[in-house]
Amino acid sequence: MSEKQPLIPFKPKRNKFSSKWVEFYVTRQLELSTLVLCLMGLAYYFEVPYSKYLFEIQAELPDGRYVKDILDCWYVLFWTVFFIMFRAFFTEKVFEPLGLHYGIKDDLTLLKFKEQSLLVLYYCLSWGLGFYIYTKVDYFFDFEAIWRGYPNKIYLPLFKKYFLGQMGFWASQFYFIQIEFKRKDHFMMCVHHVITFTLLVTGYYFNYSAFGHVILLLMDLPDIFLSLAKSLKYIGFKLICDIIFVIFFIIWIVNRHFLFGYLLYSVAVHPLNYRDIEWNPAEGVYFTRPIQIFFLIVMGGLELLLILWFKMILKVVISVINGANADDIRSDDEEEEEEEVVVVDEKSETNDVKERVPSPKGSPKTELKQE
């Protein structure tokens, strides 16, 4: 009997040709993303046209600060590829050995442990940097100051790198959700990622970056504790998991319903207290009723998603109160069709698909056939 081969999440395409290429990429994300980054680095070293835009922020002012520029898209592209490599490296080289060290034997549980541990790492770095920047700005713990200081069209170098890096991360997240195991809230997660990326891009373009900065801080902090609780659950630290989950529950309510709700109210009420309706691109002012309504609709859609997730969280809280352990609020079952996983023979030079095993509906884990 041969050793069990690694389980690779894969969403089949419509024809065998496209499936083969998708499988090839999914199983070699670390190598391919590293190769692309190396090619970018070589292009930068040899001063290939446009390559410097991948590594350097543009549109510097004489005083050392920056404004936005269409060339910022190249910088976002670099961070998108970087975060694909970042995720592949840490999940394969750091968190997979860690999960095996703590005795995780089920492939699907190991996959989820790697994903959540990676998110703990990222959100700690992201929120830490974002909060450090937050302590240096004039809207520190003052939502109304966001509107007093509008338009936010001049940035310190660190802020611009942080904000564009966040765009790159969320672009990579939308890619990852398309290749991970499909959960029941797959559609909700896709909508969430689209809304988040839309808020970042439009906020940056219309000079509401301070507004986007605050949203990122409110959203990142609860995710640290949620992903940490999940990771601890997967490696068997049930009691600590429950404690972290309670902390997460409190922070979720404060950040994502109270503070974010107040920010939504601020968007609706406060801007008109500090400036008139005006459309003046030459001065970087994009404050009109349609734009205000657009942000209210998008943020309202995000809050609706948060309320739906909060209902799931309440079920977990009730189960913990009744003596059970905190469980994953996302299901690994797929409602509409069976998930397909790919078992890859890593020893094969062609890396062809060795075997496909459908994951039965309602099954909490995927069993792999062995020869």
Side-chain angles (χ1 to χ4, degrees), residues 77-357:
L77 175 62
F78 163 77
W79 282 108
T80 302
V81 178
F82 173 83
F83 281 119
I84 292 175
M85 184 277 295
F86 179 85
R87 171 167 170 155
F89 174 80
F90 277 96
T91 54
E92 293 180 22
K93 305 302 182 182
V94 178
F95 296 122
E96 181 169 330
L98 184 63
L100 294 173
H101 172 76
Y102 279 100
I104 298 178
K105 300 185 183 301
D106 175 63
D107 293 287
L108 190 53
T109 301
L110 181 60
L111 182 65
K112 293 190 291 183
F113 171 76
K114 294 188 295 182
E115 290 175 351
Q116 296 305 317
S117 298
L118 186 281
L119 291 178
V120 173
L121 174 62
Y122 172 77
Y123 286 126
C124 283
L125 295 174
S126 170
W127 188 85
L129 177 59
F131 190 79
Y132 170 77
I133 295 172
Y134 190 50
T135 62
K136 308 296 182 181
V137 297
D138 56 3
Y139 51 88
F140 184 62
F141 285 110
D142 184 359
F143 285 173
E144 292 190 47
I146 295 175
W147 313 113
R148 289 197 298 269
Y150 181 79
N152 315 120
K153 60 181 182 179
I154 300 178
Y155 315 107
L156 293 174
L158 184 60
F159 181 92
K160 183 168 182 176
K161 292 176 182 178
Y162 162 79
F163 206 85
L164 296 177
Q166 287 278 14
M167 289 187 197
F169 172 76
W170 285 104
S172 71
Q173 281 296 96
F174 188 77
Y175 154 75
F176 282 122
I177 200 174
Q178 302 306 315
I179 64 170
E180 71 173 6
F181 282 102
K182 187 179 289 186
R183 279 85 169 185
K184 286 185 178 180
D185 65 347
H186 175 80
F187 176 75
M188 293 170 62
M189 290 296 292
C190 286
V191 173
H192 171 269
H193 292 352
V194 170
I195 288 177
T196 303
F197 189 73
T198 299
L199 284 172
L200 290 174
V201 172
T202 55
Y204 188 68
Y205 180 80
F206 292 122
N207 295 326
Y208 293 93
S209 55
F211 165 72
H213 182 201
V214 172
I215 292 178
L216 288 170
L217 291 176
L218 293 178
M219 297 299 155
D220 283 356
L221 186 59
D223 282 333
I224 294 174
F225 292 92
L226 175 60
S227 295
L228 180 59
K230 289 182 179 182
S231 297
L232 292 170
K233 170 183 174 289
Y234 297 143
I235 58 177
F237 290 88
K238 304 293 186 181
L239 178 59
I240 303 177
C241 166
D242 291 346
I243 295 172
I244 296 297
F245 185 81
V246 171
I247 297 173
F248 152 75
F249 180 69
I250 295 171
I251 295 176
W252 175 288
I253 293 175
V254 173
N255 279 35
R256 297 195 169 185
H257 296 297
F258 177 72
L259 292 178
F260 186 71
Y262 183 75
L263 184 61
L264 189 58
Y265 167 80
S266 179
V267 174
V269 175
H270 291 155
L272 291 175
N273 295 337
Y274 299 101
R275 68 175 312 109
D276 297 326
I277 298 293
E278 182 181 2
W279 176 271
N280 188 356
E283 297 297 326
V285 177
Y286 302 89
F287 180 62
T288 63
R289 281 293 190 185
I291 289 180
Q292 184 183 29
I293 293 172
F294 167 78
F295 280 117
L296 288 172
I297 291 174
V298 175
M299 290 179 64
L302 179 56
E303 180 61 25
L304 178 60
L305 284 177
L306 297 176
I307 291 172
L308 294 175
W309 274 318
F310 185 65
K311 290 175 61 179
M312 300 180 190
I313 295 170
L314 279 178
K315 293 179 181 179
V316 180
V317 172
I318 293 172
S319 69
V320 171
I321 293 174
N322 291 333
N325 294 116
D327 203 355
D328 196 339
I329 64 172
R330 297 183 67 196
S331 171
D332 298 298
D333 304 330
E334 185 177 0
E335 291 183 311
E336 298 180 355
E337 58 180 305
E338 291 185 342
E339 185 65 59
E340 190 173 46
V341 298
V342 175
V343 185
V344 177
D345 186 357
E346 292 183 333
K347 297 179 181 179
S348 171
E349 294 182 358
T350 59
N351 204 30
D352 290 335
V353 176
K354 187 175 182 181
E355 182 175 17
R356 282 196 179 93
V357 184

